[in-house]
Amino acid sequence: MENNMERVVIPAEDGNGLDARLSEHFGRAPYFILVDLDEDGNILSVQAVRNTGEHFGGVGRPADNILRLKPNAVITYGMGPRALSIFQSAGIAVLKASANTVREGLEAYRKNLLEELTEGCRRARHR
């Protein structure tokens, strides 16, 4: 990944790229939409990645799996305190979603309209 490029990850209910519906909760999202932006905020690529974390019968915590994709920011309605802590420790911005689709969330991000998510969701259930 180029140094002047940004990667944004947005949890989604489906794999429809920019038109995907945002998922209510990070770890339980069936998909993650990865969007690479150039230094001017132009979209370079959009990729849907299945959530292969433990909530979907896979391996590992979703946050750890996403860290391997080297995001600069995550846009979500909410996530558990453990995931939030993982991203904060890695220096990745976690921003509160205020949109219905990935496209809308990305536009708000590009316009610097999103607030930082500072508290994990208390409804998160961990086994």
Side-chain angles (χ1 to χ4, degrees):
M1 191 162 58
E2 296 174 36
N3 288 343
N4 54 1
M5 191 172 79
E6 282 186 83
R7 175 166 284 167
V8 180
V9 174
I10 304 173
E13 290 296 325
D14 55 65
N16 293 331
L18 294 175
D19 295 320
R21 290 185 336 270
L22 266 66
S23 177
E24 291 289 320
H25 194 274
F26 175 82
R28 303 218 179 264
Y31 290 89
F32 296 105
I33 307 300
L34 279 58
V35 182
D36 290 333
L37 303 170
D38 69 14
E39 68 267 7
D40 296 322
N42 298 310
I43 297 170
L44 297 173
S45 67
V46 178
Q47 179 184 3
V49 175
R50 272 194 185 279
N51 183 349
T52 59
E54 60 196 7
H55 296 307
F56 286 87
V59 178
R61 296 182 295 221
D64 292 328
N65 293 341
I66 292 301
L67 278 182
R68 290 194 259 294
L69 302 173
K70 301 190 181 337
N72 299 92
V74 174
I75 300 171
T76 183
Y77 285 120
M79 68 175 54
R82 184 171 55 177
L84 181 59
S85 175
I86 288 169
F87 286 126
Q88 288 172 334
S89 296
I92 296 166
V94 179
L95 304 168
K96 272 190 236 181
S98 59
N100 294 314
T101 66
V102 168
R103 184 184 314 276
E104 292 167 359
L106 194 60
E107 281 305 309
Y109 173 80
R110 291 164 66 187
K111 293 175 182 172
N112 206 24
L113 298 175
L114 301 178
E115 293 179 30
E116 188 176 352
L117 184 70
T118 56
E119 211 175 290
C121 182
R122 289 191 177 85
R123 293 179 304 154
R125 299 278 186 268
H126 300 288
R127 292 177 208 156

